[in-house]
Amino acid sequence: MKLRWFLSGTVRQATDMCKHVEKLLNAQRDILSAQAIEAVGLVLRETEAAIDSGADKAELRKRMDDLEKAANKWIKPYPNAEWRENIEVFLVAIVVAMGIRTFFLQPFKIPTGSMQPTLFGVIERDLRFDPNFKMPGLLGRIYDVAVHGRIYHNIIAPADGQVTRMGPLQHVFFINKQTLWVQYDGQPQEVPITIWCGPDDHLEHWAGLDMQAVFHKGEPIVRFEETTGDHLFVDRISYNFRHPERGEIVVFKTKGIEGIPNQNEFYIKRLIGLPDETISIGEDRHVRIDGRRLDASTPHFENLYGFDPNGRPRDSEYSGHVLEQDPRSSLKTPDDTIKIPDHSYVVFGDNTVNSLDSRYWGTVPEQNVIGKSFFVYWPISYRFGWGQR
């Protein structure tokens, strides 16, 4: 029987049909008459017997035709069968997607610039006073969004006026919005303008928009370019079989880490220190692991030490830099150290001049680490694919 099931498509089809009819019969036993149950059951048993006895293809097809006729005659049809089937397929797809997200690959968006230049967060550029800027056409804007993740916000004033006030930043699903009110000359009431965008900050901070800003007819009230942060997949399976290694870019939960205000977020940083090690930063701003200098010869750090140790630290410089005399940092001088406890890690952002990391809120418990950076799938830039380190 088992061998025939593998070798014959007709046997497989007949077997599947029997299982389907039996499932429907069992589901409707409480609403079917005894005559219906007996009639369908009889043909079902005859079809199963033909399969077990090794009947030829012609006999099996005849039995399947009889079973189909009996089922159509006695089993009650479900209302909206097509809708039910489509919904079932949709729900199965959701379950499969959630399973992949939970156990294999989880999508993740880089929110800030703390991992630059390896991974980029949201970048904004105020274009109101750029004389060389020309708004792309519709096709150009579609291309910029699809390929580069670049979105343009451009609101032109229909009349002279000024910005009078701004509402609070609001979160709607996965994006943010903020409303500003403008007063046009000659109009008695304020007019609201809603801006939908990605940054978790207020308009006046990143769009260069000042309260009481005055504008003239034909001028932009708001004109800025927003480039979305890198979107990547997080590998959630590898750390089930091994421990994280130094230099890997890890994603971890913030819950339970004192010093991080929002305990419901995920952070991404580069793993610097392993359990039982002592971390310090030398005069040359290179990290020391138990006194041993970390440099470009360490795997995953080949491109992270290209700075001038004699120059001042600057934004977007690489791993090993320390914020100058920042009172919140636990590594302000070469004599300061972080002793890593068992089952914990120290993580830094590659842009360590502008990164809040283990120097400020301590170590990351092992159980908080959910996976590592795997594949940047959008936008399409030099970081696309496995190019990030």
Side-chain angles (χ1 to χ4, degrees):
M1 167 58 189
K2 291 183 178 179
L3 182 60
R4 291 187 68 228
W5 188 90
F6 282 106
L7 297 178
S8 174
T10 304
V11 173
R12 292 195 297 272
Q13 186 179 1
T15 302
D16 291 341
M17 187 175 184
C18 288
K19 290 180 179 178
H20 182 64
V21 172
E22 184 177 15
K23 178 182 177 181
L24 293 175
L25 183 62
N26 291 333
Q28 297 187 12
R29 282 186 181 275
D30 57 335
I31 60 175
L32 293 178
S33 65
Q35 181 185 8
I37 295 173
E38 179 60 29
V40 175
L42 177 61
V43 181
L44 179 61
R45 290 191 295 272
E46 291 175 349
T47 306
E48 291 173 339
I51 296 172
D52 294 337
S53 65
D56 59 22
K57 292 183 179 180
E59 178 66 19
L60 284 179
R61 290 195 181 99
K62 181 180 180 303
R63 295 295 182 184
M64 284 191 290
D65 288 341
D66 292 342
L67 183 59
E68 183 178 6
K69 291 176 183 178
N72 289 335
K73 179 179 180 181
W74 297 107
I75 293 179
K76 297 181 182 297
Y78 285 101
N80 303 316
E82 292 183 359
W83 276 101
R84 291 169 62 91
E85 184 176 351
N86 290 335
I87 292 174
E88 182 178 350
V89 171
F90 179 70
L91 292 177
V92 170
I94 291 179
V95 171
V96 171
M98 292 299 295
I100 293 174
R101 182 185 185 278
T102 302
F103 299 106
F104 297 97
L105 295 175
Q106 176 176 336
F108 183 82
K109 177 182 177 181
I110 305 298
T112 69
S114 69
M115 284 299 294
Q116 292 177 198
T118 311
L119 295 167
F120 277 63
V122 179
I123 300 173
E124 312 85 28
R125 186 162 65 101
D126 185 11
L127 301 172
R128 289 177 301 158
F129 308 109
D130 184 352
N132 299 319
F133 172 75
K134 182 179 180 181
M135 179 65 69
L138 177 61
L139 293 179
R141 294 199 299 273
I142 293 174
Y143 175 83
D144 279 347
V145 171
V147 177
H148 302 298
R150 190 177 299 137
I151 304 170
Y152 298 97
H153 302 268
N154 188 42
I155 300 176
I156 304 299
D160 294 352
Q162 69 176 42
V163 177
T164 56
R165 56 193 175 98
M166 298 183 192
L169 187 70
Q170 296 177 301
H171 302 275
V172 180
F173 295 106
F174 303 106
I175 58 177
N176 300 318
K177 73 171 184 176
Q178 188 172 6
T179 301
L180 58 92
W181 280 264
V182 298
Q183 181 74 61
Y184 295 118
D185 292 353
Q187 292 191 8
Q189 295 182 336
E190 298 174 317
V191 177
I193 299 176
T194 299
I195 310 294
W196 296 85
C197 50
D200 289 321
D201 210 342
H202 293 269
L203 285 169
E204 61 267 28
H205 293 159
W206 45 264
L209 190 62
D210 300 324
M211 294 292 292
Q212 308 301 322
V214 176
F215 50 81
H216 300 284
K217 181 179 180 179
E219 294 181 347
I221 302 174
V222 171
R223 176 181 284 170
F224 65 94
E225 173 190 281
E226 174 191 347
T227 303
T228 185
D230 290 339
H231 290 64
L232 55 87
F233 288 119
V234 178
D235 172 7
R236 299 202 61 165
I237 192 170
S238 293
Y239 292 160
N240 292 316
F241 302 98
R242 67 171 178 85
H243 294 294
E245 298 176 358
R246 191 188 327 279
E248 291 182 328
I249 300 173
V250 298
V251 176
F252 55 93
K253 298 179 291 186
T254 58
K255 186 175 182 179
I257 301 178
E258 296 183 7
I260 298 182
N262 193 332
Q263 298 278 296
N264 297 314
E265 291 186 341
F266 291 90
Y267 277 13
I268 183 167
K269 304 289 181 184
R270 190 178 297 273
L271 195 151
I272 302 294
L274 301 173
D276 299 322
E277 293 180 338
T278 300
I279 307 297
S280 62
I281 296 180
E283 293 286 356
D284 59 358
R285 302 202 301 274
H286 281 64
V287 173
R288 260 65 173 176
I289 310 293
D290 292 334
R292 178 176 55 85
R293 185 175 183 266
L294 187 67
D295 56 28
S297 65
T298 306
H300 301 290
F301 289 84
E302 297 89 344
N303 297 330
L304 295 186
Y305 278 109
F307 60 89
D308 178 7
N310 297 317
R312 286 177 56 83
R314 65 183 187 274
D315 192 19
S316 288
E317 288 193 3
Y318 306 153
S319 184
H321 289 212
V322 59
L323 293 178
E324 292 186 300
Q325 302 301 321
D326 191 319
R328 299 170 297 170
S329 172
S330 59
L331 298 177
K332 293 187 289 293
T333 72
D335 295 328
D336 297 326
T337 62
I338 297 176
K339 178 63 177 178
I340 307 176
D342 289 340
H343 306 294
S344 297
Y345 303 105
V346 158
V347 295
F348 284 2
D350 286 355
N351 182 12
T352 52
V353 173
N354 189 21
S355 171
L356 294 176
D357 46 43
S358 287
R359 295 165 298 164
Y360 301 91
W361 36 254
T363 59
V364 176
E366 183 180 46
Q367 66 268 20
N368 281 46
V369 178
I370 67 167
K372 65 173 183 174
S373 172
F374 177 66
F375 186 94
V376 175
Y377 62 88
W378 187 67
I380 301 174
S381 65
Y382 74 88
R383 299 178 301 281
F384 177 79
W386 289 277
Q388 85 283 359
R389 303 178 67 90

